[in-house]
Amino acid sequence: MGYLEETIEELEKQIDQLLSLYRKEVELLDGIPGVNKAAAATFIAEMGVNMTV
């Protein structure tokens, strides 16, 4: 495995670890058609988890 693959794998592990705090929110977003775990992570990173608006 090359350097870039190892780096990507390590970053994905870190993202998964940080997302564990928002498991419920990720599951809710993942339930939307066309939204996968990566998109849910992006939404949370960009907008946060307060979806009351």
Side-chain angles (χ1 to χ4, degrees):
M1 187 180 287
Y3 170 76
L4 290 177
E5 289 85 5
E6 290 175 7
T7 303
I8 291 169
E9 187 174 309
E10 180 61 33
L11 288 172
E12 288 174 345
K13 287 179 185 177
Q14 290 177 13
I15 290 169
D16 285 341
Q17 183 179 17
L18 293 170
L19 278 178
S20 68
L21 300 171
Y22 306 104
R23 184 177 55 242
K24 179 182 175 185
E25 291 85 353
V26 170
E27 289 176 6
L28 289 171
L29 288 167
D30 193 28
I32 299 171
V35 176
N36 61 14
K37 186 177 176 182
T42 302
F43 293 155
I44 291 171
E46 293 289 331
M47 300 182 300
V49 293
N50 183 356
M51 312 249 178
T52 58
V53 176

